[in-house]
Amino acid sequence: MRRLQSRFWSWPVLTAIAWIVLLQSGHAAAPITDPAAFLYQAESLDTKDHPQFVRMLQQIHHEAIRLTPEEQWHLHYLDAWETMFEGDYAKSEAQLHDVIDHSGDATLATKASALLLTNLAANRRYEEAFALANRATTGLPGVKDPKARFMLLMHLSQMLDLAGQTDLAIQYARMMESAIPSGETLCRPLYFQAAALYNGKRLTSSSPELQRAIDTCVAAQEPIFANAMWLTLGSLYLDENQPGKAMALLNQIAPSIRINHYYPHMLSAQVQRAQAYAKLGNDTEARKAALAAISMGNPGDISIWLKEAYEVLYQIEKKQGNAAAALAYHEHYVIQDKGDLNDISARTEAYEVAQQHMLAQKLETESLSKQNNILRLQQALNTKAVETSRLYIALLLVVLVSIVFWVFRLKRSQLRFKELSCLDGLTGIFNHQHFISEADRTLRLLEKKHSAACLVFIDLDHFKQVNDTHGHAVGDAVLRRTVALCQKQLRPADLFGRLGGEEFCLLLVECSREQGMVIADRVRMAIEALPIEADGCVVSFSASLGLASTDTSGYGLQRLCREADAALYRAKRGGRNRVVADTEDGSLAEA
């Protein structure tokens, strides 16, 4: 029932948390003897000790007249951060544009641009936000300041997570982990990795990634990030039908949430409390908590929290037989759900992803709308003929079920036929024809982008001897084991196909010749290192690999195949169980 955008990880929470961008140090001393150092110290406390951050801003504003132009722009940037934290997006956007356009400080402009990504997305101006993200990605290699680079990587990870690109979001978060500036900890990189895993539905309450993020952020004294992770854990407890654990966790973190007075956390915790009470069967407290959450919102607000609060109220009233109240709450739920769906649709259109996710939400909304129609009919039973109404409903449901069942069967047959036509029946990877077609298409795209690729031929050594000695069943097991070992070494974008018999082929995308040799040798060592057991004996096997690179052979698939085949032949002649690749002068080199 909870999907990608549900609970704590709705976009408003991600946007608010993404404002948390700078580095920890300590509290400022009372007298301002060095304004530049004072500003950086204040910046480091934005979320670690937000009340102190605000007090320091107020203090330095009293002495703003004696600041240098550079220090005044730094203060202007911190004002924009605080304005955004308070939720005034329009004012903050103007301040950020002012810093970007007029400060003349490249590092400060990079930080402001990163914050502006979040600001635009918070206002659902996704087209502008995505265009800015593309520009920021292009300019990322030129960002030399460690803190600004760290901040930009963080916001790009968030934007990719927002687009449903889980693997890329994790990749940027790991880039943060490998480029931590002085004074920073692993809290934020681990947080954004856990966030992407959660939105990608790859996280459970027992996931080590979540616990590591919690422990790290607690140790780093980052209360907002720590609370974010705790609330994620509470959401997972509710998803896993453990309301008792969720309630205990909410009670544990309630003081910290109160002290930090962070609106998204306050609202998220209130909604989770309502959901936990509802699952525990305490409808009275669940209703109180849900109504309290709704009272925290502003008129006209559209958010995932309000949607879930109205859903709790709707389910309670429906269970207690209060049809009129249930109908009223359901109408509010539909408004929130449609607003949420529209937001998802806008992001999906901008990124051209998550189509299946939208369909799932739409089907859920339609299902609840049918229940709403039933409630309306129940109200009309006092004045209309009961028998006729039930007959119409039954006929409508039969027609709808028949149509849905027919469409489902047709779609499943189409998908199954497409899968069988593209995959090898034994190993489940691309068959010869589909691999060649996909490889040719991919090479043409890479040629346009001037990106390198490597084509690798794999041939199992003495495979006929395995079949003759142990039988074809063991031979098939060897083939399947080979495929499994290779897949562990490959990246999501790489292509893998079976050419026939014991011959396989890899297309390593955006991979130089040197990188291809490293990956190919990892594949070879993995195959050699893991024999299989059959009929009480151990069957060892190895592979020879030939590699051709677009760096030396160009993007023509036929030539790459010839070069890779020649390299494979050389590997076989040279004693097998080795990797051989073409070189720039046309000769062959061994790994």
Side-chain angles (χ1 to χ4, degrees):
M1 192 171 185
R2 276 83 186 172
R3 302 175 304 283
L4 178 64
Q5 299 300 324
S6 58
R7 298 189 184 280
F8 170 73
W9 292 104
S10 62
W11 171 242
V13 177
L14 282 175
T15 58
I17 289 179
W19 305 337
I20 305 162
V21 294
L22 302 172
L23 308 171
Q24 295 90 329
S25 56
H27 289 270
I32 305 178
T33 57
D34 185 346
F38 186 91
L39 287 166
Y40 280 108
Q41 191 174 21
E43 188 176 9
S44 71
L45 298 174
D46 51 5
T47 58
K48 193 172 183 179
D49 189 347
H50 184 255
Q52 176 67 7
F53 170 76
V54 173
R55 286 192 294 271
M56 293 178 74
L57 283 187
Q58 293 172 346
Q59 182 180 355
I60 199 167
H61 267 291
H62 292 307
E63 304 185 28
I65 192 171
R66 71 182 184 90
L67 299 181
T68 66
E70 292 78 10
E71 292 164 352
Q72 288 179 351
W73 279 116
H74 195 172
L75 177 58
H76 195 48
Y77 166 76
L78 295 181
D79 287 337
W81 190 99
E82 177 60 22
T83 302
M84 192 169 175
F85 189 86
E86 293 171 354
D88 192 343
Y89 301 128
K91 182 179 178 181
S92 176
E93 180 183 351
Q95 292 172 322
L96 291 171
H97 275 299
D98 198 22
V99 173
I100 294 168
D101 297 336
H102 303 114
S103 69
D105 185 330
T107 298
L108 207 58
T110 298
K111 293 179 181 179
S113 296
L115 280 183
L116 187 57
L117 276 174
T118 296
N119 191 302
L120 294 172
N123 283 320
R124 294 178 170 84
R125 289 157 59 184
Y126 298 121
E127 186 174 346
E128 296 175 58
F130 299 155
L132 179 58
N134 289 335
R135 294 196 297 272
T137 303
T138 302
L140 183 61
V143 179
K144 303 304 180 184
D145 182 82
K147 296 181 180 180
R149 181 179 178 83
F150 184 80
M151 178 178 174
L152 189 55
L153 287 170
M154 181 176 69
H155 282 267
L156 289 173
S157 174
Q158 174 196 304
M159 290 298 295
L160 289 165
D161 190 13
L162 175 66
Q165 300 290 338
T166 301
D167 292 327
L168 285 175
I170 292 173
Q171 179 180 335
Y172 274 93
R174 287 176 178 166
M175 289 172 67
M176 293 171 60
E177 189 174 350
S178 63
I180 297 179
S182 175
E184 183 58 82
T185 69
L186 280 171
C187 173
R188 294 170 194 184
L190 295 180
Y191 163 80
F192 280 97
Q193 290 181 47
L197 288 170
Y198 179 86
N199 284 337
K201 297 193 286 189
R202 303 181 190 176
L203 212 59
T204 67
S205 62
S206 60
S207 294
E209 296 90 347
L210 178 58
Q211 191 58 51
R212 185 185 178 201
I214 291 173
D215 293 342
T216 303
C217 291
V218 170
Q221 297 182 352
E222 283 278 11
I224 291 183
F225 283 105
N227 288 340
M229 291 289 90
W230 286 122
L231 287 169
T232 301
L233 180 59
S235 178
L236 290 168
Y237 280 149
L238 291 171
D239 287 340
E240 297 166 6
N241 201 26
Q242 300 184 69
K245 288 186 176 181
M247 186 63 72
L249 180 61
L250 290 170
N251 291 334
Q252 174 188 333
I253 64 175
S256 177
I257 291 177
R258 243 185 340 263
I259 290 172
N260 287 280
H261 204 68
Y262 188 38
Y263 172 76
H265 289 180
M266 294 165 60
L267 184 54
S268 177
Q270 194 67 30
V271 173
Q272 285 191 23
R273 194 174 292 275
Q275 292 169 323
Y277 275 128
K279 285 180 176 286
L280 291 169
N282 191 339
D283 291 348
T284 300
E285 293 300 324
R287 181 188 285 107
K288 288 180 181 178
L291 290 172
I294 291 171
S295 69
M296 294 171 67
N298 297 316
D301 278 358
I302 298 293
S303 78
I304 194 69
W305 298 301
L306 295 178
K307 169 187 169 181
E308 293 187 339
Y310 281 120
E311 184 180 14
V312 169
L313 293 170
Y314 163 69
Q315 296 293 349
I316 291 174
E317 299 300 341
K318 179 184 174 184
K319 182 172 69 173
Q320 295 181 357
N322 301 326
L327 178 60
Y329 285 133
H330 185 270
E331 288 175 348
H332 286 293
Y333 168 85
V334 169
I335 292 172
Q336 296 293 328
D337 191 55
K338 285 183 177 178
D340 187 39
L341 288 175
N342 289 338
D343 188 55
I344 294 172
S345 177
R347 280 182 275 141
T348 300
E349 184 177 343
Y351 276 102
E352 298 182 353
V353 295
Q355 293 296 335
Q356 294 301 318
H357 174 65
M358 279 187 59
L359 177 61
Q361 287 193 313
K362 183 178 179 181
L363 289 175
E364 182 179 351
T365 302
E366 291 176 352
S367 175
L368 290 173
S369 295
K370 293 175 186 176
Q371 297 180 33
N372 179 50
N373 289 335
I374 293 175
L375 288 174
R376 289 183 180 278
L377 288 172
Q378 288 175 342
Q379 287 182 313
L381 288 179
N382 294 330
T383 56
K384 295 184 179 180
V386 176
E387 301 300 330
T388 303
S389 298
R390 288 179 177 174
L391 177 61
Y392 284 142
I393 293 172
L395 290 174
L396 177 60
L397 290 176
V398 168
V399 171
L400 289 175
V401 169
S402 299
I403 292 173
V404 171
F405 180 73
W406 178 80
V407 171
F408 172 76
R409 289 286 300 273
L410 179 62
K411 186 64 176 178
R412 187 175 64 175
S413 298
Q414 290 174 342
L415 293 175
R416 181 60 178 164
F417 178 77
K418 182 178 180 181
E419 179 183 358
L420 292 175
S421 67
C422 297
L423 302 182
D424 176 62
L426 175 63
T427 62
I429 61 176
F430 288 163
N431 58 30
H432 188 150
Q433 180 179 357
H434 190 64
F435 176 83
I436 294 299
S437 174
E438 286 297 305
D440 187 54
R441 181 184 64 82
T442 302
L443 285 169
R444 289 198 299 269
L445 292 175
L446 291 172
E447 184 177 15
K448 293 178 180 178
K449 297 192 298 183
H450 302 291
S451 297
C454 293
L455 188 72
V456 182
F457 278 12
I458 305 173
D459 188 271
L460 297 182
D461 299 329
H462 304 297
F463 183 73
K464 184 176 184 301
Q465 183 178 343
V466 173
N467 276 334
D468 293 343
T469 304
H470 302 284
H472 288 282
V474 174
D476 290 347
V478 169
L479 293 175
R480 287 191 291 268
R481 172 65 65 83
T482 298
V483 169
L485 293 172
C486 291
Q487 287 174 326
K488 290 181 180 180
Q489 307 301 323
L490 300 181
R491 303 161 300 172
D494 296 334
L495 303 181
F496 188 19
R498 183 184 179 193
L499 300 182
E502 70 277 18
E503 296 182 359
F504 302 90
C505 191
L506 306 174
L507 181 64
L508 305 178
V509 177
E510 294 186 354
C511 178
S512 67
R513 178 182 176 278
E514 291 74 16
Q515 293 171 326
M517 289 290 288
V518 172
I519 295 173
D521 200 50
R522 285 208 309 262
V523 169
R524 179 194 66 77
M525 289 189 293
I527 294 173
E528 179 186 20
L530 290 175
I532 66 172
E533 294 185 6
D535 298 329
C537 62
V538 177
V539 179
S540 299
F541 55 99
S542 63
S544 300
L545 295 86
L547 181 146
S549 171
T550 59
D551 293 338
T552 56
S553 302
Y555 293 90
L557 182 57
Q558 291 185 355
R559 181 178 176 186
L560 284 170
C561 288
R562 285 198 303 270
E563 299 291 346
D565 191 50
L568 176 61
Y569 180 68
R570 171 74 174 274
K572 290 288 188 182
R573 283 198 314 169
R576 296 183 169 84
N577 191 21
R578 64 192 59 212
V579 179
V580 175
D582 61 339
T583 61
E584 294 183 2
D585 59 4
S587 61
L588 299 174
E590 295 185 12

